[in-house]
Amino acid sequence: MLLSEILYYGFLPVRTRCLYRMVLIRAVTSRLRIGFSSHLLKSRKMSTAPEALLEEIGDKGVITLNRPKALNALNYNMIKMIYPVLKEWESTKSLVIIKGAGDKAFCAGGDVRVIADTAQDEDAVGDYFFREEYILNCLIGTYHVPYIALIDGITMGGGVGLSVHGQFRVATEKTLFAMPETGIGLFPDVGGSHFLPRLGGRLGMYLALTGHRLKGRDVLKAGVATHVCDSARIGELEEHLLKLDSPYPEDIQSTLDKFQEESTFSKNEAFSLQPFLPQIQKCFSGGSVEEIISNLEKDGSEWAEKQIKTLSRMSPTSLKVTFEQIERGAHLTLQECLSMEHRIVSRIFKGHDFREGIRAVLIDKDNKPAWKPATLAEVTSDDVINTYFAPLPAEKELIF
Ligand code: QUE
């Protein structure tokens, strides 16, 4: 920042100052972009709307993911905008709110299309996207001031990484949560190996392998959200939070509790997975993906048949990598989980199944991926899976 900018900034009234800082933050990040890869320059749009809004409102910070037409899918530019500001806010703010623009999504995932498109290139976006994304996930998981994610809409993959590790996650009747990566030849990353095995019982293994979607109050019941609030009142909740005077976490907690108490949707409904929890526990406790499938076959219920069908559509390699990842993650810190996931992703994003998954699900939308290997039996030895978990060359490791 130039001295003249600092001096000028000092004379502005508070609210104008906030807006001015937003502009400054944008200017600084767009300067940073000059050194970036050609993919980013090519993908720059003519539109001037920033892809992430970073607002300072007194001693509070508000991040808005601002790609509503792409369901706020997280791209590299957004990560580069958010990280330095979030880092600065850790020592200057009393709370941070993160939300999504538009009425459909908090964040539908990572911008996986561009990662698949460039996977074979020398300057593959995936080579730096995942590293920076996981560093951001770690900052959120270790954040020193209250971090409140308003997950009012679709919250999947990368969107889960921007919310679940934070102190407070507020779901609404519009929240749709999933870790659906086994369906596109990836695995539930962004710290999935940390939070999924900690959801209780084998629920996390079930969500990880099948990509099962949770809606509304179920997101709270599964332990992914900490609170619920009516979608129509999310704006009012945000206003209340922004008006709190130097809040302690307990003040935030009681504000969220009050809105939860006054919420009106599916209040008396049981957790939709409640009837299946014993089966989830029994079947998904198997010691391998094959054993889980054999447990489901033995179970023989209509529910079990449905799970077998779902699993048969997923990438066999992704299923085996995911099983191993969730087992290992149960005993690791968030940082260790993210380092492990970085080892896996560095290999898997260049593989056949990811490209094929993106083709089948997001490009051609035929939903008929031709996985290679095509069956679990063909993903032959544990050595093949262990290759994904092996250390990277020292300079490529993600160390916190
Ligand atoms: C599985 C996934 C993802 C997915 C669909 C799946 C995923 C992801 C997106 C996505 C959605 C909207 C976008 C976008 C990407 O879809 O991870 O760029 O605009 O990010 O079945 O894992």
Side-chain angles (χ1 to χ4, degrees):
M1 199 184 292
L2 299 171
L3 185 61
S4 60
E5 286 175 333
I6 295 166
L7 291 174
Y8 178 44
Y9 170 57
F11 288 109
L12 294 172
V14 174
R15 179 71 202 186
T16 322
R17 215 188 289 174
C18 296
L19 293 174
Y20 188 65
R21 272 193 63 80
M22 262 180 76
V23 175
L24 283 183
I25 289 163
R26 283 188 56 203
V28 170
T29 50
S30 58
R31 267 211 295 275
L32 280 177
R33 254 198 319 231
I34 291 164
F36 289 178
S37 102
S38 56
H39 304 304
L40 284 166
L41 297 175
K42 267 185 255 162
S43 69
R44 270 180 73 174
K45 290 177 292 189
M46 295 313 286
S47 152
T48 54
E51 296 180 324
L53 309 178
L54 301 150
E55 287 178 279
E56 298 192 44
I57 297 155
D59 68 340
K60 321 284 194 306
V62 179
I63 302 168
T64 307
L65 308 170
N66 194 30
R67 297 177 70 218
K69 285 183 192 150
L71 302 175
N72 300 320
L74 184 69
N75 64 25
Y76 187 58
N77 181 42
M78 291 156 88
I79 298 171
K80 292 306 268 188
M81 289 177 82
I82 294 168
Y83 182 85
V85 174
L86 196 57
K87 189 84 192 155
E88 182 200 313
W89 285 354
E90 195 171 27
S91 51
T92 57
K93 298 292 172 217
S94 65
L95 67 81
V96 173
I97 293 172
I98 184 165
K99 62 182 180 175
D103 57 3
K104 289 199 176 66
F106 168 70
C107 172
D111 192 5
V112 279
R113 229 183 237 243
V114 69
I115 297 166
D117 268 356
T118 63
Q120 308 305 320
D121 299 359
E122 202 169 318
D123 57 346
V125 172
D127 277 331
Y128 44 91
F129 175 87
F130 294 111
R131 166 180 290 273
E132 304 295 328
E133 183 184 32
Y134 298 175
I135 291 172
L136 178 56
N137 299 148
C138 182
L139 176 63
I140 293 166
T142 56
Y143 211 56
H144 295 311
V145 296
Y147 178 96
I148 305 149
L150 305 177
I151 52 170
D152 180 22
I154 298 163
T155 304
M156 297 190 186
V160 175
L162 293 180
S163 53
V164 78
H165 308 296
Q167 192 176 356
F168 300 105
R169 293 89 64 185
V170 184
T172 72
E173 71 275 21
K174 286 180 9 197
T175 305
L176 187 64
F177 160 95
M179 291 300 280
E181 290 91 346
T182 55
I184 55 164
L186 283 182
F187 63 102
D189 64 343
V190 296
S193 30
H194 193 257
F195 84 89
L196 288 165
R198 288 164 178 78
L199 290 181
R202 299 299 276 184
L203 180 60
M205 183 65 89
Y206 169 68
L207 297 175
L209 293 175
T210 63
H212 181 81
R213 294 172 172 200
L214 295 170
K215 295 185 196 131
R217 201 170 287 266
D218 276 355
V219 181
L220 173 73
K221 291 186 170 138
V224 170
T226 59
H227 291 82
V228 291
C229 170
D230 285 348
S231 180
R233 295 191 70 199
I234 275 284
E236 195 188 329
L237 170 62
E238 184 185 345
E239 270 176 43
H240 263 72
L241 293 167
L242 294 176
K243 277 190 196 142
L244 292 175
D245 193 14
S246 305
Y248 287 108
E250 305 86 86
D251 303 324
I252 295 165
Q253 178 82 36
S254 61
T255 303
L256 297 176
D257 287 348
K258 176 175 168 297
F259 278 78
Q260 166 155 316
E261 190 54 41
E262 293 166 6
S263 67
T264 57
F265 65 98
S266 49
K267 267 208 124 157
N268 302 313
E269 283 173 33
F271 184 28
S272 70
L273 289 177
Q274 193 68 40
F276 308 109
L277 287 179
Q279 282 155 294
I280 289 174
Q281 189 60 29
K282 198 165 123 236
C283 298
F284 285 80
S285 288
S288 64
V289 181
E290 288 89 338
E291 217 176 295
I292 290 171
I293 289 171
S294 139
N295 290 341
L296 289 164
E297 282 165 355
K298 272 183 229 146
D299 181 284
S301 65
E302 198 180 315
W303 174 85
E305 294 292 333
K306 209 172 137 207
Q307 307 317 311
I308 295 170
K309 224 178 187 169
T310 300
L311 292 172
S312 74
R313 288 199 302 267
M314 303 309 190
S315 152
T317 303
S318 290
L319 288 176
K320 289 199 172 182
V321 165
T322 298
F323 177 85
E324 183 66 21
Q325 169 217 358
I326 301 300
E327 291 288 77
R328 291 192 192 198
H331 312 288
L332 303 175
T333 64
L334 176 61
Q335 285 90 337
E336 289 168 337
C337 283
L338 292 166
S339 298
M340 172 179 75
E341 291 174 8
H342 181 252
R343 289 175 175 180
I344 306 171
V345 86
S346 300
R347 281 123 181 170
I348 212 169
F349 95 85
K350 291 178 187 282
H352 168 271
D353 279 7
F354 176 46
R355 194 174 349 122
E356 176 60 7
I358 295 301
R359 183 207 62 73
V361 174
L362 293 179
I363 299 172
D364 297 344
K365 300 191 172 134
D366 58 22
N367 288 313
K368 289 197 164 60
W371 305 124
K372 261 197 245 173
T375 63
L376 286 169
E378 287 167 85
V379 187
T380 44
S381 89
D382 286 351
D383 291 348
V384 175
I385 296 308
N386 286 333
T387 311
Y388 289 94
F389 293 78
L392 295 164
E395 72 281 6
K396 296 257 166 85
E397 284 279 339
L398 177 55
I399 299 162
F400 292 98

